[in-house]
């Protein structure tokens, strides 16, 4: 962004439908100095890029106020490009003596480029002038739409609807008592609701939106008075206000779905300072503070555990149903629930920048990004409404001129067609569904960067998976312990003795397995690395060696049976370390980066959906094919990042819509080359910088869930468009045929809008992730 251009973000109070958003967009975009405008009815926000001019910011707030909306500046944040807490997961690149002579790279071939982190593109928002401007909103333009939070009857829109309803009820009562006064009484009752609508219509017309629903409503109501249909005019205004009120309630439900995530963070925290623990507001915690999280408490801030261990329930944030064991150096996310252990935590992010705040901001910004279908509907509606106005005028004028009817009858029909012609339901049909879908996905740990991405995910016909950390867990586990001359547990215990103190992934796998079996690991006298071969040490009176099969065979020749057993393990894609005591081979330990528990189910769900699945990995072919055989998927192995990018390009040339699923870091070129790049990680360790979408808790089945979510969203959009256009078509015919009048006409508009919005809200139901 140029130095003299600033971007302000606002919450727009009372913007409940796409017609509202369109009016605001048009009005602000026409102002001199404004570079770009992005309005999201779903998030209730507006972003404006404009010249660095304090007066212009104030003018924007004032002008939008005249349309009947209030702008509230959103506090300045640096827009995070990465939704991540980088955990101390231990993928350290320590040299290990096992590495050099093994035929395998221990399942970490895909990680070689992991250090090439893409820098975050920081996007600074400036709000100084906007903050000053917020106090300059014109009080004479009280907001007719009202806030969408709190009880509806307390909103300005709710109060106006109640007043109009009471006025209409009074008019009916007085009309029965004094029938001669009915026309005037109903006209006055109508004006209670119509005057604020007419004021908004005039403001919209002068700012570039002549065919707003308010303008059509005003013309229809005034026209009805002129032809003597005052009772119907008053009722139509009330029905219009009721419809708008229902739109506001429905829009509020969609916004509340994602905003409710912020309610997960507790209001207070226990801060350690000066040797004591004080209860303080959670939003006051600074980066670097040390807090105490008691058993059963919600975690008040993102952080790293300094001491203690516990099972943490991450379901509220990521949808992960199983509590995750957390210990020292593990990351915690604000809003998760601590289990049965007390934790001391080092705060790593302020309240405004924690994971939940970032997710909410990302989803809201995604909702501002229009999908191709939405852009098409917007273009269509720009021609549709003027066309309906022309049809209404022709219906009102031509038949009387041609002598086939009386003026009052055909003018009445023309006015009804005007009301039918409002595009609200049509325009909201797509963004309502997309907003609900993005919110529902985010609550299940499925993040998408906008409507276009959401549409594209459902169109994929090929899914290219990274192996390490995507299809597999990203760290080796002990799979087999072979006792040639000693018991299996003794072999594991002696190997663990040699590996004590090592941080290499293979060493940690051996130590973890020994810990799981609660083995007594013997003390070690000396240990040294034999370059490129293995480890040698003394345990008690025995000299031990742990290393690759090749290095072990050089020391003590292996028998044919031993070689056959090790070869069989190698053929399964496993890394084998052989243990020697003195001059005797006493055992072997096999390790492999194992598939994620749900990988087979996830891959099958994609193939059942008609999607071609392929593995693209930098790992060696034997290891990759051993994993691929379990899933029945095509395997392309020993690839460099540029090879993955090339293969994605080849798939696209073959006619596939390709999704690339990886860790979002080491295969950035392939993610960028794909139609959809999906980052996958464990917990919240997900970089979104290089991806279009992400699954927060790293389940392979979540990719299929994302596809299902996209496809159900597109079906919902088709249903919405059918409801919107179908109702209008039916009422257009019945109005011209004289079957229906003004009341059903307004129901064709606001009724359809409410139906469409409620249908879209069905997408807020839980997303199936398995």
């Amino acid at each position: 962004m140029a130095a003299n251009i600033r971007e302000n973000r606002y919450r727009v109070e009372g913007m409940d439908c796409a017609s509202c958003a369109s009016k605001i967009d048009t009005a602000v975009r026409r102002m001199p100095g404004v570079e770009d405008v992005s309005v999201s009815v779903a998030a209730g926000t507006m972003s404006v890029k404009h010249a660095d001019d304090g007066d212009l910011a104030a003018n924007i707030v004032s002008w939008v106020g005249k349309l009947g909306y209030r702008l509230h500046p959103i506090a300045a944040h640096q827009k995070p490009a990465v939704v991540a807490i980088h955990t101390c997961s231990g993928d350290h690149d320590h040299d290990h003596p096992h590495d050099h002579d093994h035929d395998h790279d221990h399942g970490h071939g895909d990680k070689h480029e992991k250090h090439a982190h893409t820098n975050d593109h920081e996007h600074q928002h400036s709000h100084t002038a906007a903050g000053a401007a917020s106090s300059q909103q014109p009080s004479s333009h009280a907001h007719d739409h009202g806030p969408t939070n709190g009880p509806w009857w307390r909103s300005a829109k709710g109060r106006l609807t109640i007043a109009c309803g009471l006025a209409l009820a009074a008019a009916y009562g007085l009309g029965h008592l004094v029938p001669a006064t009915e026309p005037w009484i109903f006209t006055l009752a109508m004006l209670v609701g119509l005057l604020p609508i007419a004021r908004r219509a005039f403001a919209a017309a002068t700012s570039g939106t002549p065919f707003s629903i308010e303008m059509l409503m005003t013309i229809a109501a005034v026209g009805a008075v002129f032809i003597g249909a005052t009772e119907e005019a008053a009722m139509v205004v009330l029905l219009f206000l009721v419809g708008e009120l229902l739109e506001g309630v429905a829009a509020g439900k969609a916004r509340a779905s994602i905003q409710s995530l912020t309610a997960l963070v507790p209001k207070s925290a226990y801060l350690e300072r000066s040797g004591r623990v004080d209860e303080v507001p959670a939003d006051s915690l600074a980066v670097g503070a040390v807090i105490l999280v008691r058993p059963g408490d919600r975690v008040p801030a993102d952080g790293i555990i300094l001491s203690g261990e516990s099972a943490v329930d991450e379901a509220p944030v990521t949808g992960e149903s199983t509590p995750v064991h957390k210990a020292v150096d593990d990351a915690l996310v604000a809003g998760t629930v601590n289990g049965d252990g007390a934790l001391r935590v080092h705060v790593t992010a302020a309240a405004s920048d924690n994971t939940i705040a970032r997710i909410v901001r990302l989803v809201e910004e995604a909702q501002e990004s229009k999908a191709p279908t939405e852009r098409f509907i917007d273009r269509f509606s720009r021609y549709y409404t003027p066309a309906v106005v022309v049809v209404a005028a022709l219906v009102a004028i031509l038949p009387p001129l041609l002598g086939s009817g009386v003026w009052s009858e055909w003018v009445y029909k023309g006015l009804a067609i005007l009301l039918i012609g409002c595009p609200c339901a049509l325009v909201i049909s797509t963004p309502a569904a997309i907003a609900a879908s993005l919110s529902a996905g985010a609550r299940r740990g499925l993040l998408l960067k906008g409507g276009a991405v959401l549409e594209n995910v459902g169109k994929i016909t090929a899914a290219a998976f990274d192996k390490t950390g995507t299809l597999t867990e990203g760290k080796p586990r002990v799979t087999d312990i072979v006792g040639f001359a000693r018991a299996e547990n003794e072999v594991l215990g002696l190997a663990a003795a040699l590996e004590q103190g090592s941080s290499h992934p293979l060493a940690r796998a051996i130590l973890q397995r020994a810990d799981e079996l609660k083995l007594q690991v013997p003390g070690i006298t000396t240990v040294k690395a034999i370059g490129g071969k293995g480890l040698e040490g003394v345990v008690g009176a025995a000299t031990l060696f742990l290393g690759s099969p090749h290095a072990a065979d050089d020391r003590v020749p292996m028998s044919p049976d031993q070689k056959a057993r090790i070869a069989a393990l190698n053929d399964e894609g496993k890394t084998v370390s052989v243990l020697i005591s003195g001059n005797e081979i006493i055992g072997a330990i096999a390790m492999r980066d194992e598939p994620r528990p749900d990988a087979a189910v996830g891959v099958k769900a994609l193939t059942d959906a008609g999607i071609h699945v392929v593995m693209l990995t930098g790992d060696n072919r034997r290891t990759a094919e051993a994993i691929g055989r379990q899933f029945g998927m095509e395997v392309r192995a020993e690839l460099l990042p540029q090879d993955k990018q090339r293969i994605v390009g080849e798939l696209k040339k073959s006619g596939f819509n390709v999704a690339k699923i990886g860790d979002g870091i080491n295969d950035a070129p392939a993610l960028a080359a794909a139609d959809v790049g999906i980052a996958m990680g464990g917990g919240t360790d997900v970089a979104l910088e290089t991806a279009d979408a992400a699954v927060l808790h790293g389940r392979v089945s979540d990719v299929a869930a994302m596809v299902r979510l996209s496809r159900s969203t597109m079906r919902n959009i088709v249903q919405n468009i059918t409801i919107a256009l179908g109702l209008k078509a039916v009422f257009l015919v019945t109005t011209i045929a004289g079957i229906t009048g003004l009341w059903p006409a307004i129901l064709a508009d606001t009724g359809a809008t409410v139906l469409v919005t409620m249908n879209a809200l069905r997408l807020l139901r839980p997303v199936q992730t398995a």
Side-chain angles (χ1 to χ4, degrees):
M1 195 185 301
N4 61 338
I5 298 295
R6 74 169 41 162
E7 180 172 351
N8 290 343
R9 285 191 84 221
Y10 303 90
R11 288 221 174 277
V12 186
E13 186 182 314
M15 179 177 62
D16 301 326
C17 68
S19 174
C20 307
S22 177
K23 289 197 294 283
I24 295 169
D25 185 295
T26 302
V28 176
R29 198 176 290 277
R30 286 161 58 100
M31 297 180 71
V34 172
E35 296 288 322
D36 191 28
V37 182
S38 179
V39 184
S40 169
V41 65
T45 60
M46 175 175 72
S47 296
V48 185
K49 292 180 183 177
H50 61 81
D52 192 358
D53 179 350
D55 290 340
L56 178 56
N59 290 340
I60 290 171
V61 174
S62 173
W63 191 245
V64 173
K66 291 178 182 177
L67 294 175
Y69 309 91
R70 289 187 184 276
L71 295 185
H72 302 286
I74 296 174
H77 292 296
Q78 283 195 331
K79 194 186 296 180
V82 177
V83 176
I85 298 176
H86 295 286
T87 62
C88 299
S89 57
D91 280 340
H92 308 298
D93 291 332
H94 297 293
D95 289 337
H96 190 277
H98 295 188
D99 292 353
H100 303 289
D101 284 316
H102 283 191
D103 295 327
H104 305 279
D105 61 1
H106 319 310
H108 284 270
D110 289 355
K111 298 280 184 178
H112 294 328
E113 295 81 27
K114 190 152 190 171
H115 295 292
H117 254 285
T118 309
N119 291 330
D120 297 358
H121 295 301
E122 294 179 341
H123 196 52
Q124 183 69 40
H125 292 277
S126 175
H127 297 276
T128 309
S134 65
S135 63
Q136 300 177 22
Q137 296 178 79
S139 58
S140 60
H141 296 286
H143 187 9
D144 296 311
H145 280 48
T148 50
N149 53 1
W152 64 267
W153 59 86
R154 290 185 183 172
S155 68
K157 179 191 289 185
R159 291 194 300 269
L160 179 61
T161 305
I162 291 170
C164 189
L166 291 174
L168 185 59
Y172 272 115
L174 288 172
H176 279 294
L177 292 174
V178 190
T181 62
E182 270 192 359
W184 301 105
I185 291 171
F186 280 114
T187 301
L188 289 173
M190 178 203 70
L191 289 174
V192 171
L194 186 64
L195 285 176
I197 295 170
R199 188 176 66 235
R200 283 153 47 194
F202 178 76
T206 56
S207 60
T209 310
F211 296 113
S212 65
I213 177 59
E214 288 86 358
M215 183 62 77
L216 300 184
M217 184 71 239
T218 302
I219 294 170
V222 172
V225 169
F226 274 105
I227 61 172
T230 53
E231 180 183 340
E232 285 193 73
M235 180 57 75
V236 163
V237 170
L238 177 61
L239 288 174
F240 173 78
L241 291 173
V242 169
E244 278 207 323
L245 186 63
L246 290 174
E247 287 174 25
V249 172
K253 284 184 180 293
R255 287 174 200 153
S257 172
I258 186 62
Q259 283 294 336
S260 64
L261 277 176
T262 59
L264 295 174
V265 182
K267 301 296 183 188
S268 60
Y270 293 94
L271 175 66
E272 288 188 6
R273 58 186 173 191
S274 306
R276 67 178 196 273
V277 177
D278 296 326
E279 186 172 359
V280 300
D283 57 10
S284 70
L285 294 174
V287 175
V290 176
I291 57 174
L292 174 67
V293 183
R294 303 175 305 179
D297 281 357
R298 284 193 184 273
V299 179
D302 289 2
I304 301 291
I305 297 175
L306 296 175
S307 64
E309 58 180 284
S310 182
V312 177
D313 180 8
E314 296 186 338
V317 179
T318 69
E320 181 58 70
S321 58
T322 307
V324 180
H325 181 263
K326 300 281 188 176
V328 175
D329 287 341
D330 284 341
L332 284 179
V333 179
T336 54
V337 182
N338 187 20
D340 53 5
L343 302 172
R344 289 180 68 244
V345 179
H346 172 87
V347 176
T348 56
S352 61
D353 206 32
N354 64 30
T355 299
I356 287 180
R358 289 176 175 188
I359 290 172
V360 171
R361 282 206 297 275
L362 182 139
V363 173
E364 289 185 347
E365 287 162 14
Q367 289 171 345
E368 290 178 6
S369 167
K370 290 192 176 183
T373 302
E374 185 178 351
R375 287 196 294 267
F376 169 76
I377 293 294
D378 282 350
R379 288 196 300 271
F380 175 78
S381 67
R382 281 201 289 269
Y383 298 103
Y384 165 83
T385 305
V388 169
V389 171
V390 170
V391 170
L394 292 175
V395 166
I397 295 169
L398 280 183
L401 287 178
L402 297 175
S404 59
V406 297
W407 278 97
S408 60
E409 176 192 347
W410 286 100
V411 168
Y412 181 87
K413 291 178 179 180
L415 295 175
I417 291 170
L418 265 188
L419 297 178
I420 293 169
C422 176
C424 276
L426 181 62
V427 175
I428 199 70
S429 60
T430 302
I434 285 174
S437 186
L438 291 172
S439 296
R443 294 188 64 84
R444 301 297 301 164
L446 311 176
L447 299 183
L448 299 105
K449 281 188 172 177
V453 175
L454 182 61
E455 279 196 28
N456 289 338
V457 167
K459 297 175 183 176
I460 66 168
T461 53
F465 281 89
D466 192 9
K467 181 182 78 67
T468 305
T470 303
L471 288 171
T472 66
E473 294 180 341
K475 54 186 177 183
R477 293 185 179 274
V478 172
T479 57
D480 303 85
I481 304 167
V482 182
F484 291 132
R486 305 279 178 91
E488 291 179 1
N489 281 0
E490 186 180 355
V491 170
L492 181 61
L494 292 171
L498 284 173
E499 295 285 20
Q500 287 181 84
S502 173
S503 59
H504 189 278
L506 293 180
R508 286 203 309 277
I510 291 171
L511 292 166
Q512 180 182 347
R513 185 62 177 151
D515 184 59
E516 289 169 357
L517 296 176
K518 297 186 169 25
L519 300 182
Q520 287 289 341
V521 178
I524 189 164
T525 307
T526 61
V527 65
K528 62 178 180 178
I530 310 297
K533 298 182 182 296
L535 288 173
E536 186 177 72
V538 177
V539 176
T543 300
L544 302 178
F545 173 82
L546 181 67
S548 68
H550 180 70
D553 193 43
D554 287 344
R555 283 182 168 240
V556 179
M558 286 187 281
S559 69
D561 286 346
Q562 290 170 342
K563 287 183 177 179
R565 185 70 189 275
I566 290 168
L569 292 169
N570 282 338
D571 288 340
E572 293 173 9
K574 296 172 181 175
T575 295
V576 180
S577 295
V578 177
L579 182 64
I580 297 174
S581 177
N583 292 316
E584 183 182 23
I585 295 176
I586 62 171
I589 298 173
M591 289 159 282
R592 185 172 66 181
D593 181 15
E594 288 292 89
R596 292 181 183 270
D598 75 319
V601 173
V603 170
K604 184 177 186 301
L606 288 169
T607 53
D608 288 349
I611 296 168
H612 174 64
V613 184
V614 59
M615 179 198 298
L616 305 181
T617 177
D619 212 343
N620 67 75
R621 186 166 302 281
R622 185 159 52 176
T623 301
E625 288 181 347
I627 297 290
R629 275 196 299 273
Q630 298 182 43
F631 307 138
M633 66 194 300
E634 180 188 347
V635 174
R636 306 287 290 273
E638 300 175 358
L639 303 173
L640 295 172
Q642 56 265 38
D643 296 325
K644 296 178 185 179
Q645 182 183 19
R646 174 180 51 78
I647 291 168
V648 167
E650 289 171 358
L651 287 168
K652 289 173 72 174
K653 285 179 183 174
S654 301
F656 287 103
N657 282 322
V658 183
K660 174 67 177 73
I661 304 98
D663 62 13
I665 299 165
N666 72 326
D667 48 6
L671 284 171
D675 294 294
V676 181
I678 302 174
M680 179 182 288
T684 52
D685 188 12
V686 177
L688 278 171
E689 175 67 15
T690 54
D692 301 307
V695 292
L696 280 187
H697 45 69
R699 291 194 301 221
V700 178
S701 56
D702 280 355
V703 178
M706 198 177 277
V707 172
R708 285 196 299 274
L709 178 65
S710 169
R711 292 178 178 178
S712 63
T713 304
M714 296 314 295
R715 285 195 298 273
N716 191 279
I717 287 171
V718 170
Q719 292 164 4
N720 286 346
I721 293 171
T722 302
I723 291 169
L725 291 180
L727 275 176
K728 289 181 186 298
V730 167
F731 281 105
L732 184 65
V733 172
T734 57
T735 298
I736 292 175
I739 300 169
T740 57
L742 287 177
W743 295 16
I746 195 66
L747 291 176
D749 170 52
T750 56
T753 303
V754 172
L755 282 176
V756 161
T757 307
M758 297 308 292
N759 186 50
L761 290 178
R762 293 190 306 116
L763 291 166
L764 290 174
R765 292 181 300 189
V767 181
Q768 294 183 355
T769 55

